[in-house]
């Protein structure tokens, strides 16, 4: 199914190799993969890493209150609803026509998921202080993270929304020399006492463009359980924390609203599909 949305041409396509599987693209860039028969099936590597994080955050099955900035086809909210029944989840998605398309083809009613059409930062600003366990920032305009979602002011809003022990996670994309990712890590570290970065080794070494997950919290993160889950994944990722993270961000400075820029443009074909 093809539809013009607020930010481009969205296409929802059934996966012919997986009954119940659907792929959402926007202008040819993959945005979400949903398996209606098995919402615990996380197709994209970065989504699995977010799933590993949610698995490690609290005892198995305990509900979480989550705010998702960026909706797509609601892959992670559906995963949380399946693995932690009773979770209360709010999703902010700026693309209203995209929300309508997903609701029409891949409805989510009865799962404790509320979708708000609006700018992620504005929704975050209006979120009551100390009201959520998890804030996930996974916002792309096409293939770029908008500049106003990359600053210390934005991350501070996320910190204010979290309960004690709550966690902030941001999905980003970068390549060598990782200047954007390093600045974003410095930004998260300037707000949260505890921080780690997750990425595929080849991305960390600057060999290819790819996703990186930045995680912050006011209290110690479940680094060891998360690292074990990441290492056991079919596409293993590395977790960088403590002194190794300090070395990685050395020389990088936190980003403020005044100097914020979008994430770097991916090389041609980095995420596109035919």
């Amino acid at each position: 199914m093809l539809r013009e949305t607020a930010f481009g041409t969205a296409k929802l396509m059934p996966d012919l190799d997986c009954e119940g599987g659907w792929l959402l693209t926007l202008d040819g860039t993959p945005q979400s993969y949903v398996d209606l028969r098995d919402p615990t099936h996380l197709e994209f590597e970065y989504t699995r890493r977010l799933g590993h994080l949610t698995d490690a955050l609290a005892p198995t099955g305990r509900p979480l209150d989550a705010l998702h900035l960026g909706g797509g086809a609601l892959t992670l909210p559906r995963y949380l609803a399946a693995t932690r029944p009773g979770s209360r989840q709010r999703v902010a998605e700026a693309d209203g026509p995209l929300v309508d398309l997903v609701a029409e083809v891949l409805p989510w009613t009865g799962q404790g998921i509320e979708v708000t059409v609006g700018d992620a930062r504005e929704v975050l600003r209006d979120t009551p202080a100390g009201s959520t366990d998890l804030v996930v920032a996974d916002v792309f305009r096409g293939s770029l993270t908008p500049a106003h979602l990359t600053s210390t002011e934005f991350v501070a809003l996320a910190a204010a929304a979290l309960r004690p022990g709550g966690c902030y996670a941001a999905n980003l994309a970068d390549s060598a020399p990782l200047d954007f990712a390093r600045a974003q890590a410095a930004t998260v570290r300037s707000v949260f006492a505890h921080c780690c970065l997750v990425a595929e080794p080849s991305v960390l070494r600057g060999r290819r463009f790819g996703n990186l997950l930045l995680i912050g919290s006011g209290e110690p993160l479940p680094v060891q359980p998360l690292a074990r889950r990441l290492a056991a994944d079919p596409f293993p990722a590395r977790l960088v924390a403590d002194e190794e993270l300090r070395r990685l961000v050395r020389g990088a400075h936190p980003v403020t609203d005044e100097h914020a820029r979008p994430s770097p443009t991916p090389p041609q074909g980095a995420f596109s599909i035919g």
Side-chain angles (χ1 to χ4, degrees):
M1 181 174 291
L2 195 70
R3 186 167 301 176
E4 294 301 319
T5 73
F7 299 112
T9 301
K11 185 185 293 186
L12 261 174
M13 300 172 286
D15 184 349
L16 300 181
D17 295 321
C18 176
E19 185 178 354
W22 289 82
L23 174 67
L24 170 67
T25 66
L26 189 64
D27 290 337
T29 299
Q31 299 288 322
S32 301
Y33 183 97
V34 168
D35 187 337
L36 291 178
R37 297 184 63 185
D38 180 11
T40 67
H41 171 203
L42 302 177
E43 180 76 9
F44 295 164
E45 296 167 28
Y46 84 87
T47 313
R48 287 203 300 275
R49 290 163 196 160
L50 283 166
H52 293 319
L53 173 63
T54 66
D55 291 345
L57 280 181
T60 301
R62 194 181 86 184
L64 294 174
D65 291 339
L67 173 62
H68 305 265
L69 305 176
L74 312 184
T75 305
L76 190 64
R78 297 174 201 264
Y79 178 84
L80 266 178
T83 58
R84 298 182 179 275
S87 293
R88 296 180 298 181
Q89 302 187 77
R90 188 180 182 194
V91 178
E93 172 56 60
D95 195 333
L98 177 61
V99 171
D100 293 339
L101 172 63
V102 174
E104 179 182 335
V105 181
L106 309 173
W108 60 85
T109 53
Q111 300 186 55
I113 301 169
E114 173 192 349
V115 179
T116 298
V117 176
D119 177 77
R121 182 157 169 170
E122 292 179 4
V123 172
L124 183 57
R125 183 196 60 207
D126 295 337
T127 299
S131 64
T132 189
D133 301 305
L134 174 66
V135 174
V136 178
D138 185 16
V139 182
F140 286 84
R141 295 290 178 266
S143 56
L144 306 181
T145 301
H148 71 300
L149 307 183
T150 67
S151 67
T152 53
E153 292 89 343
F154 169 74
V155 178
L157 290 174
L162 291 170
R163 295 190 176 109
C167 181
Y168 168 74
N171 177 42
L172 309 166
D174 199 6
S175 61
L178 296 179
D179 288 340
F180 177 75
R182 292 172 61 249
Q184 288 303 292
T187 300
V188 173
R189 291 181 75 239
S190 74
V191 175
F192 289 104
H194 301 273
C195 180
C196 66
L197 182 150
V198 172
E200 186 180 329
S202 62
V203 175
L204 285 172
R205 295 185 185 118
R207 295 178 180 173
R208 71 174 186 87
F209 191 95
N211 293 90
L212 304 99
L213 184 63
L214 267 172
I215 305 166
S217 178
E219 297 184 12
L221 291 161
V223 170
Q224 295 304 322
L226 178 56
R228 287 194 293 269
R229 286 173 168 82
L230 294 166
D233 192 90
F235 295 91
R238 281 190 56 212
L239 187 150
V240 179
D242 301 325
E243 181 56 34
E244 187 178 8
L245 183 60
R246 285 191 285 273
R247 289 197 300 270
L248 179 67
V249 302
R250 190 171 295 148
H253 302 285
V255 177
T256 63
D257 279 341
E258 182 181 3
H259 301 292
R261 298 289 184 272
S263 60
T265 301
Q268 187 173 7
F271 296 128
S272 296
I273 61 173

